[in-house]
């Protein structure tokens, strides 16, 4: 059974349609990349799937693991295994990192019928995960994301993902603001989380990230619709040729251009 | 002239007709002669409402004077007389005064209070249930006052050099000659503040803390003013005195707390003197009954190179006000004012601060956070005065407010008066609700809306509370939010 099925999903903010009928099927074990030029609706798709209340669903359906995703609150989605790595992680001054993460993990564990982790077990658990992402332990003593560098924020997102072990991970421009070394570390962390039960939706503007997170499918999002889909080679082609050949109305048929 | 029928007085009921602490335990002293007499037509000068409302207190003072003249030292009698004279002139503050614009004490001034000094709820011993409710912080030593009275049995014994100099005020003032108290009654400016004047006239007991020169007091001193169910309808005037001599160091927690929902009035004054190079960390916690009135003045004089850190945390009382004043009198003195106020329902919570830079190269940092819900009203007024002599002053002030309901309001007013030309002074105030981005972020990690809200509110509070150096106090206050 497919983990995520979007059928003509449309959404926007009041008075402004952004997603205009998205069709997408993601199976467990797969990695899908969503690429597209700025303003095409990539981040909106990520936020809508995570349940951001400011977006209005105007049509279509989204089924996750056989359930109506759109009927769930953001926290229910998280507990059911949806995770969004934010493009711009929010700084939370005064919110203690481990305290927050333990509360999140135990909320999810409770939902899954598991015993909550106590402070000692939790600490051991997260220390393992931190090593994978080469996170400095001192980050744990600071408020969540407060004063973190761009790279630290992104690594912290993937660290949270590693701790919460989602079934569907949505990575929103996780590569932006990362230098090549940080990118490799983050990608390695994400790859470690790959499993036959888990799917990833990788949203990115550039192909670069996909050298490290090799997708099974690549989709191009433009003006609120998925206008083209293909294998990993599509990403390479986009890198070489840009988006114009897909997005310019005169060039909707690439075969004609290449012929 | 006032009409006795319409004019409120201190209540003249038949208190203490039963034997104290017998069956049924009435906790009032025999009436003796301390209660006010029936309100005969007493002349009051001046037409101002705030003054005429003070008349019952003036009468009560006279009677108490007559009964106590023999027992208290003459310099204290003089101080009390000066206090009552100022109170007679100033009366209760009114909303016509800028500093009291949003804080209307009319109901408090009209209420027929019984003098808390007449309460004898602890004379027959403290109810074990009440004793168990005295809040204690790990690693602190305590001075415990119940319904205004010092309870030695519940208080700590102090380390030997302090045996004489950390105690209750009554004992402290009696044990040493008056000449030593050049600071007592000279710090708090009761000449401009009617309620401080009333306290000066009527003060009962409180903490007496004198830290010897170059002595570092290891254990923080936790001063607890607890009111019991017996305190209903009573007025208290606690008075605290802190004097840190040159190079000394101490941490003091002044803590007001109620057992049960009583309607009472606390009118506290705390005077502090920090001598050269000395340090004082001070934490005032106001956690009184939701029906109570709490008005307090804390004033501190700082000498050269001294350091004063204050944390004022309030969540109790129907009307709560804390006025905090630091006077930076010597070079390189430094003060830090942290504040956290919480209000809900129809509470009014008022924090007035004044920092006076009188000397060069002093620094002041002020940061108050307010969290208001329901129909609560908050008042923050932060005044910084920089005298002409106070060059190279570094003053920072910030007031941030979180409004959790549409009906909560905050009146925030920074006031900078700068007469020196080479200074750095900044101030800022913000008002906002919980950040939607942050709420979504937390929910997207599995926290429900309520947990996410609570976490963000606590985080906002913890930005102030984290500055308290005493972990047990910090942890206890964390639970306030």
């Amino acid at each position: 059974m497919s983990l995520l099925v979007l059928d003509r999903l449309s959404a926007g903010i009041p008075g402004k349609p952004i997603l205009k009928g998205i069709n997408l099927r993601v199976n467990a074990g797969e990695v899908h990349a969503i690429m597209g030029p700025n303003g095409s609706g990539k981040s909106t798709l990520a936020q809508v799937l995570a349940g951001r209340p400011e977006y209005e669903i105007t049509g279509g359906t989204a089924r996750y693991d056989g359930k109506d995703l759109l009927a769930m609150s953001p926290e229910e989605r998280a507990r059911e295994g949806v995770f969004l790595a934010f493009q711009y992680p929010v700084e939370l001054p005064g919110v203690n990192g481990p305290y927050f993460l333990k509360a999140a993990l135990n909320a999810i564990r409770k939902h899954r019928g598991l015993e909550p982790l106590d402070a000692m077990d939790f600490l051991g658990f997260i220390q393992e995960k931190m090593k994978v992402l080469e996170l400095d332990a001192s980050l744990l003593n600071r408020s969540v994301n407060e004063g973190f560098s761009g790279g630290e924020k992104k690594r912290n997102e993937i660290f949270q993902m590693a701790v919460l072990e989602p079934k569907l991970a949505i990575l929103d421009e996780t590569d932006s603001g990362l230098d090549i070394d940080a990118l490799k570390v983050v990608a390695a962390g994400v790859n470690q989380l790959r499993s036959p039960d888990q799917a990833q939706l990788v949203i990115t503007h550039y192909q670069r990230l996909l050298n490290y997170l090799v997708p099974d499918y690549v989709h191009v999002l433009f003006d609120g619709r998925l206008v083209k889909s293909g294998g990993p080679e599509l990403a390479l082609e986009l890198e070489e040729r840009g988006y114009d050949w897909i997005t310019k109305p005169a060039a909707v048929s690439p075969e004609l251009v290449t012929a | 002239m006032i009409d006795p029928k319409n004019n409120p007085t201190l209540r003249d009921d038949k208190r203490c007709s039963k034997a104290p602490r017998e069956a049924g335990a009435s906790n009032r002293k025999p009436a003796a002669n301390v209660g006010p007499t029936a309100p005969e037509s007493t002349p009051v000068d001046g037409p101002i409402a705030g003054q005429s409302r003070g008349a019952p207190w003036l009468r009560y003072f006279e009677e108490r004077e007559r009964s106590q003249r023999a027992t208290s030292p003459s310099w204290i009698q003089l101080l009390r007389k000066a206090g009552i004279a100022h109170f007679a002139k100033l009366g209760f503050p009114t909303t016509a005064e800028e500093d009291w614009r949003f804080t209307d004490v009319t109901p408090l001034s009209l209420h027929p209070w019984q003098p808390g000094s007449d309460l004898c709820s602890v004379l027959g011993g403290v109810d074990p249930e009440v004793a168990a409710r005295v809040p204690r912080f790990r690693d602190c030593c305590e001075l415990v006052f119940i319904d205004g009275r010092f309870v030695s049995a519940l208080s700590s014994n102090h380390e030997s050099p302090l045996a004489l100099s950390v105690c209750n005020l009554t004992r402290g003032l009696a044990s040493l000659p008056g000449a030593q108290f050049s600071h007592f009654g000279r710090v708090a400016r009761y000449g401009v503040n009617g309620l401080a004047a009333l306290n000066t006239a009527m003060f009962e007991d409180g903490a007496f803390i004198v830290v010897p020169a170059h002595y570092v007091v290891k254990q923080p001193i936790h001063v607890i003013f607890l009111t019991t169910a017996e305190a209903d309808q009573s007025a208290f005037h606690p008075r605290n005195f802190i004097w840190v001599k040159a190079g000394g160091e101490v941490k003091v927690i002044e803590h007001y707390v109620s057992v049960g929902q009583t309607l009472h009035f606390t009118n506290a004054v705390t005077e502090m003197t920090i001598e050269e190079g000395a340090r004082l960390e001070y934490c005032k916690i106001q956690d009184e009954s939701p029906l109570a009135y709490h008005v307090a003045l804390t004033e501190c004089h700082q000498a050269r190179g001294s350091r004063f850190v204050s944390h004022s945390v309030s969540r109790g009382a129907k009307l709560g006000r804390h006025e905090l004043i630091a006077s930076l009198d010597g070079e390189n003195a430094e003060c830090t004012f942290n504040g956290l106020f919480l209000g809900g329902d129809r509470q009014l919570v008022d924090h007035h601060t004044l920092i006076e830079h009188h000397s060069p190269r002093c620094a002041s940092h002020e940061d108050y956070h307010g969290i208001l819900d329901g129909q609560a009203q908050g008042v923050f007024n932060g005044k910084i005065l920089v005298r002409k002599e106070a060059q190279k002053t570094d003053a920072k002030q910030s007031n941030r407010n979180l409004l959790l309901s549409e009906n909560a309001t905050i009146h925030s007013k920074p006031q900078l008066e700068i007469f020196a030309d080479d200074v750095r002074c900044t101030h800022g105030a913000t008002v906002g609700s919980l950040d939607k981005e942050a709420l979504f972020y937390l929910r997207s990690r599995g926290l429900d809306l309520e947990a996410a809200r609570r976490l963000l509110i606590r985080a906002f509070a913890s930005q102030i509370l984290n500055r308290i150096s005493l972990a047990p106090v910090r942890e206890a206050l964390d639970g306030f939010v």
Side-chain angles (χ1 to χ4, degrees):
Chain A
M1 190 179 63
S2 295
L3 190 60
L4 179 71
V5 182
L6 306 184
D7 183 13
R8 287 164 292 163
L9 179 65
S10 300
I13 50 174
K16 191 185 174 206
I18 300 172
L19 302 181
K20 300 166 183 171
I22 305 263
N23 294 307
L24 180 68
R25 181 178 290 269
V26 177
N27 295 314
E30 293 175 350
V31 175
H32 289 242
I34 302 217
M35 302 184 69
N38 289 330
S40 56
K42 298 191 300 289
S43 280
T44 299
L45 176 61
Q47 304 250 334
V48 162
L49 293 178
R52 181 154 188 139
E54 284 78 14
Y55 288 107
E56 192 179 63
I57 308 298
T58 50
T61 59
R63 295 197 76 75
Y64 167 76
D65 215 5
K67 301 182 188 89
D68 180 2
L69 182 72
L70 302 178
M72 295 186 226
S73 66
E75 54 270 33
E76 284 171 316
R77 298 178 201 208
R79 291 169 192 179
E80 288 284 342
V82 177
F83 181 90
L84 169 63
F86 280 58
Q87 181 180 7
Y88 301 109
V90 184
E91 296 200 9
L92 302 173
V95 176
N96 170 281
Y99 179 87
F100 150 65
L101 205 50
K102 184 162 157 269
L105 178 62
N106 281 336
I108 290 170
R109 286 178 66 90
K110 189 178 170 198
H111 185 76
R112 293 177 186 167
L114 299 168
E115 287 293 306
L117 287 186
D118 66 24
M120 285 306 289
D121 291 343
F122 175 74
L123 209 62
F125 180 68
I126 61 171
Q127 273 163 355
E128 282 302 305
K129 306 281 183 182
M130 290 188 75
K131 269 189 219 149
V132 175
L133 284 152
E134 299 179 19
L135 268 181
D136 194 304
S138 70
L139 290 188
L140 276 186
N141 298 325
R142 285 158 56 183
S143 296
V144 178
N145 293 325
E146 192 188 27
F148 286 23
S149 70
E152 284 171 337
K153 282 182 186 168
K154 294 302 176 75
R155 265 190 276 179
N156 194 33
E157 291 294 286
I158 304 306
F159 164 61
Q160 290 178 18
M161 173 178 156
V163 170
L164 302 179
E165 299 175 329
K167 275 196 280 191
L168 174 66
I170 304 160
L171 310 180
D172 188 5
E173 307 235 359
T174 296
D175 49 337
S176 68
L178 290 185
D179 62 33
I180 193 70
D181 293 325
L183 185 71
K184 283 181 186 168
V185 172
V186 165
V190 174
N191 281 328
Q192 272 209 353
L193 299 171
R194 280 186 84 158
S195 84
D197 309 322
Q198 203 237 26
Q200 293 172 358
L201 206 54
V202 180
I203 291 170
T204 180
H205 187 79
Y206 299 106
Q207 189 269 340
R208 188 178 70 150
L209 176 65
L210 304 179
N211 290 335
Y212 305 98
L213 294 182
V214 182
D216 300 301
Y217 301 95
V218 174
H219 312 276
V220 178
L221 180 64
F222 177 68
D223 192 23
R225 293 182 185 89
L226 293 179
V227 293
K228 193 165 181 63
S229 297
E233 71 287 346
L234 177 56
L236 294 168
E237 197 174 353
L238 289 168
E239 179 76 359
E240 203 177 304
R241 299 174 61 189
Y243 290 105
D244 282 359
W245 59 280
I246 297 173
T247 60
K248 285 271 164 37
V252 275
S253 175
E255 291 79 2
L256 283 179
V257 179
T258 46
Chain B
M1 304 290 273
I2 48 171
D3 175 1
K5 287 192 200 77
N6 296 329
N7 194 66
T9 63
L10 294 164
R11 203 154 72 185
D12 183 33
D13 60 2
K14 301 281 183 289
R15 74 184 58 144
C16 297
S17 51
K18 292 172 268 178
R21 211 96 208 135
E22 291 296 312
S26 159
N27 291 316
R28 303 262 162 198
K29 260 193 255 177
N33 55 354
V34 285
T37 53
E40 285 157 30
S41 42
T42 311
V44 190
D45 45 16
I48 302 169
Q51 289 175 335
S52 63
R53 283 187 260 122
W57 286 104
L58 300 182
R59 278 194 302 277
Y60 175 66
F61 181 81
E62 274 174 35
E63 280 167 35
R64 207 177 74 149
E65 263 297 275
R66 252 176 269 137
S67 71
Q68 291 194 338
R69 189 157 295 164
T71 56
S72 65
S74 62
W75 68 277
I76 291 180
Q77 284 177 38
L78 285 173
L79 180 65
R80 289 188 188 280
K81 278 189 174 159
I84 205 71
H86 281 294
F87 178 69
K89 196 170 68 188
L90 297 162
F92 285 98
T94 70
T95 51
E97 293 166 53
E98 182 59 28
D99 276 347
W100 294 83
R101 227 174 104 201
F102 302 105
T103 305
D104 186 1
V105 296
T106 309
L108 138 68
S109 64
L110 291 175
H111 196 89
W113 302 110
Q114 298 182 8
S117 51
D118 289 0
L119 265 178
C120 21
S121 53
V122 297
L123 286 191
V126 178
D127 182 342
E129 271 182 41
V130 170
R133 296 283 293 274
V134 174
R136 292 176 191 273
F137 299 139
R138 202 171 64 234
D139 306 328
C140 292
C141 64
E142 285 105 6
L143 291 170
V144 179
F145 299 84
I146 292 183
D147 292 336
R149 251 167 229 281
F150 180 62
V151 184
S152 150
L154 295 177
S155 304
S156 321
N157 293 318
H158 301 279
E159 51 201 273
S160 61
L162 299 176
L164 274 179
S165 60
V166 176
C167 57
N168 59 313
L169 184 74
T170 311
R171 185 173 154 218
L173 292 181
S175 66
L176 294 165
Q180 298 222 2
F181 299 106
S182 49
H183 303 302
F184 187 84
R186 304 264 176 96
V187 176
R189 47 193 81 175
Y190 58 92
V192 291
N193 178 331
L195 287 160
L198 183 62
N199 175 290
T200 304
M202 309 292 301
F203 69 84
E204 294 128 10
D205 213 345
F208 177 92
I209 297 167
V210 178
V211 178
H214 305 288
Y215 188 82
V216 177
V217 183
K218 284 172 211 75
Q219 268 188 309
I221 301 166
H222 186 189
V223 185
I224 300 150
F225 295 92
L226 182 138
T227 52
T228 69
E230 308 288 342
D232 199 49
Q233 308 298 326
S234 291
F236 301 95
H237 307 273
R239 181 95 176 194
N240 302 299
F241 176 68
I242 303 173
W243 181 8
V244 193
K245 296 191 181 176
E249 249 183 88
V250 68
K251 297 177 182 187
V252 178
I253 304 134
E254 182 183 331
H255 191 167
Y256 297 87
V257 62
S258 305
V259 172
Q261 303 216 340
T262 49
L263 168 56
H264 65 268
F265 168 35
T266 298
N267 177 32
V269 171
T270 299
E271 293 188 292
M272 303 163 165
T273 301
I274 313 179
E275 288 188 357
E276 192 166 333
R279 284 161 179 260
L280 169 61
E281 181 172 346
Y282 166 71
C283 185
K284 178 173 181 285
I285 304 169
Q286 191 271 98
D287 190 19
E288 295 219 69
S289 145
L291 302 177
Y293 294 91
H294 177 100
V295 179
L297 168 68
T298 301
E299 184 153 357
C300 181
H301 284 182
Q302 291 187 247
R304 174 195 293 262
S306 64
R307 178 114 204 257
F308 174 45
V309 179
S310 161
H311 315 275
S312 179
V313 179
S314 62
R315 72 161 176 186
K318 178 183 175 191
L319 181 155
R321 172 170 164 126
H322 184 207
E323 193 171 338
L324 176 62
I325 302 176
S327 178
L328 300 164
D329 301 332
E331 281 188 45
N332 293 310
E334 199 180 316
C335 74
T336 302
F337 285 11
N338 299 316
L340 174 65
F341 51 97
L342 312 170
D345 300 324
R346 288 171 175 275
Q347 274 181 298
L348 185 140
V349 45
D350 176 344
H351 285 264
H352 264 67
T353 66
L354 167 62
I355 298 171
E356 294 184 344
H357 286 263
H358 292 292
S359 297
R361 285 175 286 281
C362 290
S364 64
H365 312 280
E366 177 167 22
D367 200 355
Y368 272 65
H369 281 193
I371 303 175
L372 301 169
D373 203 350
Q375 292 172 271
Q377 283 207 61
V379 181
F380 172 80
N381 189 299
K383 184 169 169 181
I384 297 173
L385 173 71
V386 182
R387 294 261 183 232
K388 202 174 162 203
E389 307 73 44
Q391 299 294 357
K392 307 277 181 199
T393 284
D394 182 2
K396 291 191 200 78
Q397 183 191 86
S398 152
N399 169 228
R400 294 174 58 204
N401 300 285
L402 187 55
L403 301 187
L404 301 175
S405 111
E406 287 183 1
N407 298 318
T409 46
I410 174 78
H411 308 278
S412 177
K413 183 175 156 198
Q415 244 182 307
L416 269 55
E417 287 180 23
I418 301 169
F419 298 97
D421 46 23
D422 183 13
V423 300
R424 203 171 65 179
C425 293
T426 62
H427 68 89
T430 62
V431 182
S433 49
L434 287 173
D435 180 15
K436 282 185 181 149
E437 296 252 352
L439 279 174
F440 176 60
Y441 188 74
L442 293 171
R443 294 176 76 190
S444 80
R445 298 299 183 250
L447 271 67
D448 61 47
L449 181 59
E450 195 41 45
R453 278 171 55 90
R454 267 204 319 271
L455 190 61
L456 291 179
I457 294 167
R458 283 180 78 150
F460 185 71
S462 74
Q463 289 169 43
I464 296 296
L465 298 179
N466 283 345
R467 298 177 193 165
I468 300 174
S469 75
L470 305 165
V473 179
R474 214 166 48 225
E475 285 155 20
L477 293 178
D478 220 26
F480 266 31
V481 187

